[in-house]
Amino acid sequence: MDLEQLLAIVRRHVWACTAVLVLTVVAMAMVPGRVAPDYEMTGNVILLSPSTLATGISDEEVEVNPWSRFGGAESGAAAALSEVLRSERALEIVAADERVESFVAAVNAGNGAIINLTVRASSAEASVAAYDKALKLLTDELAARQQAAGATPATWLRAEVLTRPDRPEELPGSTKRVMLAVGGLGVVAAVSLAIALDTVVTSRRARRPETADVPPVTPLARQSFVWESVIREDRGRRR
């Protein structure tokens, strides 16, 4: 069956297809009120070096600008922390709420000292709470691992929040996907119904020629047949 034949079938049963499509539009209109959108919190944290630097001469230190020097120490620590945040333990902490759908921690492509955090949930409150958990986990892990390494607090790297949105972004994509799915199923149902109806009609028409050559028996024809039978019987007796 090619496209031209399919369109011809749909045209022959246009009213049935229209009824299905109307029901599909009604179902699509109900989707936004029944399917909750997703919410996403996206921000990032930068790792900064201490603001003082030992000169190596006795206990003398000089003040430095952490923002003026980014090197391997910050980038290496950021890569290590992002791996920690991708662990199963971190995921259990951040996504403890069932409404949290995903959590991603990744090193920024433009600056290796920046860690991007993204949390997606089915409610705004859950996304905010999960993002705050991820941020706290990052700072706690950074401090705990530097302390475990025996580094003095004066030499510790610190995590500073670069961006944190006040409220999560509403993602209408989930609602649109459901609406598209409902619309696609409606179109398929309409075409399938047209094909089914056309198959039934065609099969019925194919059976009609078998009885088309037999003329209908009218009361007058039946009466003539009876009289002819009586006449033949009477002639047979006379012989």
Side-chain angles (χ1 to χ4, degrees):
M1 180 183 299
D2 56 18
L3 181 59
E4 185 176 353
Q5 292 175 326
L6 187 62
L7 291 176
I9 291 174
V10 171
R11 283 195 296 267
R12 285 197 293 268
H13 306 282
V14 64
W15 291 111
C17 294
T18 302
V20 174
L21 293 178
V22 168
L23 293 176
T24 301
V25 172
V26 173
M28 291 176 64
M30 296 173 63
V31 168
R34 295 180 178 271
V35 178
D38 289 335
Y39 295 88
E40 186 176 87
M41 283 280 289
T42 302
N44 42 41
V45 176
I46 188 170
L47 301 186
L48 296 176
S49 299
S51 57
T52 58
L53 182 66
T55 61
I57 303 174
S58 66
D59 294 333
E60 183 180 354
E61 294 181 344
V62 295
E63 294 184 354
V64 294
N65 183 0
W67 288 88
S68 65
R69 56 191 186 96
F70 293 102
E74 295 83 2
S75 300
L81 282 175
S82 65
E83 290 296 328
V84 172
L85 293 176
R86 284 197 289 265
S87 65
E88 292 185 4
R89 171 179 168 271
L91 186 60
E92 290 176 357
I93 294 173
V94 176
D97 192 328
E98 296 179 351
R99 295 172 295 178
V100 178
E101 299 174 355
S102 64
F103 164 58
V104 178
V107 176
N108 187 280
N111 189 331
I114 297 176
I115 300 176
N116 299 326
L117 301 175
T118 303
V119 175
R120 181 175 294 184
S122 59
S123 75
E125 297 80 6
S127 63
V128 173
Y131 184 87
D132 290 339
K133 286 181 182 179
L135 190 58
K136 184 178 185 302
L137 180 61
L138 186 151
T139 54
D140 290 347
E141 286 290 337
L142 179 61
R145 292 175 185 272
Q146 290 181 106
Q147 184 177 11
T152 58
T155 63
W156 284 8
L157 297 174
R158 71 178 190 276
E160 184 172 315
V161 177
L162 282 180
T163 60
R164 182 193 182 282
D166 296 331
R167 59 180 179 273
E169 179 186 2
E170 182 176 336
L171 302 177
S174 56
T175 304
K176 289 182 179 179
R177 286 193 296 271
V178 174
M179 293 180 67
L180 288 175
V182 172
L185 289 175
V187 172
V188 172
V191 175
S192 300
L193 178 61
I195 295 174
L197 291 175
D198 198 71
T199 302
V200 172
V201 172
T202 303
S203 62
R204 288 182 177 178
R205 289 176 179 175
R207 290 195 295 267
R208 288 179 182 177
E210 298 178 1
T211 57
D213 296 336
V214 180
V217 179
T218 62
L220 182 60
R222 187 180 294 110
Q223 188 176 4
S224 300
F225 176 76
V226 172
W227 279 109
E228 287 179 2
S229 300
V230 171
I231 293 173
R232 287 176 184 174
E233 185 179 354
D234 185 64
R235 287 179 180 177
R237 288 176 181 177
R238 291 179 179 181
R239 291 177 184 176

